[in-house]
């Protein structure tokens, strides 16, 4: 029996509600496999913890998390805590502290999920974004001079290192080979306007591409790629983007795949020197908290991404297939999908479909 230790940070709001369903599906998967076991330790960190203690996570939080195989996070955010505090005090601390240099975002329209584009089908929307996750525009380098005076100045500097940029680009090319779908990597740039950082980005992209002759490449300005995601999503396979650009285009991607209820992500330490962290893209949704209305599908898909990274077991795909079964059946859906089922009922239904798939 192989055991995997998972650090669980449910966070705030619906984070805790969807987390229960993610764990439920993980346990069902382990039971069905028979030879693996997940053990969990819960950490109460987040905004409510901040309101009690003045800290989003413990000072030695990273030391505590380091011994785990993976970190599973729900969502953080609370109406009375400024978002830059919740983001910097927990999420960015873990992403940067554990060098989780890739944020991986599958943009895949599942059969039965609502797509806002007319005439687009699941086979048209199936790509993945590799977003740089520890530096770039979100490096946190800068400052404010002369605060609150008429001459006040704000400076926010982008930082791009050769080491990290090469690493995430290689990851994108390797992923295109592994997917073996269109064998194509598209780079989102803006080197016409950003004449240092993005010219550098393009140069390294071309250098790395030289080592992958079997992979087609293209470089597209980020404004244009936003338009093309809508007009011809079927054209994309793997997209590599900087932190800011990736952040924006993946929310556009979330809309293509049916909304936040389906947007899953992994923050990967690709060398496996530290644990990676997996989290749904949605926030704590204070408007629906406590009512059992949250769609747990993004969380469950996120848990599946954790399995991909930890186990590399192709059978984990059955979890996404089980979500699809529930969608196609259309009987057990949450309110965002025009159903009336609760978060728990959707989690249970996905577990049942997963069992049925294993017992086929
Ligand atoms: P949000 O993602 O929490 O909610 C946006 C809208 O989508 C709301 O109407 C919500 O009800 C709905 N929604 C989100 N997830 C859903 C789900 N699983 N099922 C059904 N409906 C869902 O974003 P919002 O409202 O901008 O932010 C709320 C708080 O969450 C803020 O404090 C924000 O900082 C935080 N946040 C945290 C994130 C994270 O932990 N990674 C990401 C985004 C926001
Ligand atoms: Mg975002």
């Amino acid at each position: 029996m192989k055991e995997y230790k998972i650090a669980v940070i449910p966070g705030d709001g619906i984070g805790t509600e969807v987390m229960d369903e993610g764990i439920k599906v993980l346990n069902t998967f382990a039971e069905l496999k028979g030879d693996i076991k997940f053990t969990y330790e819960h950490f109460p960190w987040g905004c409510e913890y901040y309101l009690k203690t003045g800290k989003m996570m413990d000072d030695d939080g990273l030391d505590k998390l380091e011994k785990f195989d993976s970190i599973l996070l729900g969502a953080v955010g609370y109406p009375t805590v400024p978002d830059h505090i919740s983001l910097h005090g927990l999420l960015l601390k873990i992403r940067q502290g554990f060098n989780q240099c890739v944020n991986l975002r599958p943009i895949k329209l599942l059969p039965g999920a609502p797509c806002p584009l007319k005439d687009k089908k699941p086979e048209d929307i199936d790509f993945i974004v590799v977003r740089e996750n520890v530096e770039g525009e979100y490096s946190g380098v800068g400052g404010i001079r002369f605060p609150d005076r008429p001459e006040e100045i704000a400076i926010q500097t982008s930082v791009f290192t050769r080491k990290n940029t090469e690493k995430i680009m290689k990851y994108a090319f390797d992923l295109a080979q592994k997917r073996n779908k269109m064998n194509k990597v598209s780079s989102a740039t803006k080197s016409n306007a950003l004449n240092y950082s993005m010219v550098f980005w393009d140069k390294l992209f071309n250098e790395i591409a030289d080592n992958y002759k079997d992979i087609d490449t293209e470089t597209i300005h980020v404004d244009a790629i936003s338009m093309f995601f809508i007009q011809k999503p079927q054209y994309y396979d793997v997209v590599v983007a900087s932190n800011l650009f990736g952040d924006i285009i993946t929310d556009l991607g979330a809309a293509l795949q049916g909304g936040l209820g389906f947007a899953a992500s992994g923050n990967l330490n690709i060398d496996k020197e530290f644990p990676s962290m997996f989290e749904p893209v949605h926030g704590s949704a204070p408007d629906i908290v406590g009512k059992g209305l949250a769609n747990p599908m993004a969380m469950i898909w996120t848990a599946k991404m954790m399995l991909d990274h930890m186990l590399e077991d192709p059978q984990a795909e059955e979890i996404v297939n089980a979500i699809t079964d529930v969608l196609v059946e259309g009987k057990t859906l949450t309110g965002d999908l025009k159903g009336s089922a609760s978060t728990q009922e959707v989690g249970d239904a996905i577990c049942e479909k997963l069992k049925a798939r294993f017992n086929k």
Side-chain angles (χ1 to χ4, degrees):
M1 181 79 74
K2 182 114 172 66
E3 192 180 312
Y4 297 89
K5 294 198 295 288
I6 299 164
V8 177
I9 309 174
D12 307 300
I14 64 162
T16 61
E17 300 171 24
V18 294
M19 181 61 79
D20 290 344
E21 305 314 305
I23 289 178
K24 199 189 268 176
V25 172
L26 284 173
N27 287 339
T28 302
F29 181 80
E31 272 165 39
L32 291 166
K33 291 292 291 184
D35 57 352
I36 54 171
K37 185 177 172 215
F38 302 119
T39 57
Y40 309 93
E41 187 172 335
H42 281 64
F43 294 87
W45 302 331
C47 290
E48 293 182 52
Y49 191 76
Y50 173 83
L51 291 172
K52 275 187 241 142
T53 64
K55 287 176 182 146
M56 286 294 296
M57 68 191 283
D58 293 344
D59 288 337
D60 62 349
L62 292 183
D63 296 333
K64 285 184 172 134
L65 293 173
E66 200 179 330
K67 63 175 194 282
F68 289 89
D69 291 303
S70 285
I71 305 162
L72 202 55
L73 186 129
V76 291
Y78 202 76
T80 58
V81 177
D83 286 345
H84 68 270
I85 291 188
S86 50
L87 190 63
H88 282 266
L90 186 85
L91 290 178
L92 292 187
K93 224 171 173 172
I94 299 174
R95 286 178 188 169
Q96 296 179 353
F98 285 160
N99 194 22
Q100 294 167 346
C101 63
V102 163
N103 185 279
L104 199 60
R105 277 281 292 110
I107 312 285
K108 187 175 159 85
L109 178 67
L110 300 182
C115 179
L117 301 182
K118 76 171 167 40
D119 306 331
K120 293 295 175 204
K121 303 202 163 45
E123 57 270 26
D124 296 321
I125 301 178
D126 182 6
F127 61 95
I128 190 156
V129 179
V130 175
R131 164 184 164 192
E132 196 289 310
N133 206 33
V134 292
E135 52 178 44
E137 307 86 345
Y138 294 177
S139 300
V141 176
I144 304 272
R145 287 281 278 144
F146 316 121
D148 302 321
R149 290 179 20 199
E151 59 274 38
E152 186 166 2
I153 302 170
I155 295 175
Q156 187 96 41
T157 304
S158 296
V159 176
F160 289 83
T161 63
R162 174 175 276 275
K163 192 172 161 199
N164 191 62
T165 310
E166 281 180 347
K167 197 156 141 179
I168 64 137
M169 285 178 175
K170 273 190 197 131
Y171 182 86
F173 280 90
D174 289 339
L175 185 61
Q177 281 180 334
K178 201 160 145 198
R179 276 166 68 87
N180 196 19
K181 202 175 158 260
M182 295 162 69
N183 291 300
K184 177 168 161 184
V185 180
S186 309
S187 164
T189 186
K190 192 67 197 172
S191 46
N192 53 352
L194 299 171
N195 55 340
Y196 299 110
S197 58
M198 283 293 137
V199 169
F200 175 76
W201 174 274
D202 292 355
K203 180 177 80 171
L204 296 201
F205 181 71
N206 292 332
E207 281 179 21
I208 301 292
D210 281 345
N211 301 324
Y212 292 85
K213 297 285 184 213
D214 54 328
I215 303 290
D216 290 337
T217 59
E218 60 175 2
T219 296
I220 314 159
H221 291 308
V222 65
D223 38 359
I225 213 173
S226 308
M227 185 172 66
F228 295 149
F229 272 12
I230 307 277
Q231 291 173 332
K232 45 172 189 180
Q234 68 278 10
Y235 199 70
Y236 295 99
D237 181 9
V238 175
V239 179
V240 65
S242 67
N243 212 334
L244 169 69
F245 294 169
D247 190 6
I248 297 170
I249 63 176
T250 52
D251 264 28
L252 179 53
L256 298 181
Q257 67 184 136
L260 287 173
F262 300 98
S265 81
N267 303 279
L268 309 183
N269 176 288
I270 55 184
D271 298 327
K272 301 200 177 180
E273 10 160 45
F274 296 110
S276 295
M277 174 167 69
F278 300 84
E279 51 172 325
V281 172
H282 64 73
S284 55
D287 55 332
I288 58 166
V289 69
K291 298 176 186 155
L293 294 174
N295 182 354
M297 288 172 173
M299 182 78 236
I300 292 167
W301 194 335
T302 295
K304 181 264 174 188
M305 291 181 74
M306 180 180 83
L307 298 184
D308 287 341
H309 186 73
M310 233 169 33
L311 317 180
E312 296 186 36
D313 178 355
Q315 255 190 319
E317 199 57 39
E318 295 292 14
I319 294 177
V320 176
N321 293 336
I323 297 174
T324 304
D325 292 343
V326 169
L327 283 168
V328 169
E329 189 180 65
K331 280 200 316 211
T332 317
L333 302 174
T334 42
D336 55 320
L337 302 176
K338 312 227 176 323
S340 57
S342 68
T343 309
Q344 270 191 5
E345 286 166 343
V346 173
D348 290 340
I350 293 169
C351 288
E352 288 315 309
K353 296 293 184 195
L354 187 60
K355 286 180 195 158
R357 283 188 162 266
F358 266 76
N359 296 328
K360 247 185 209 161

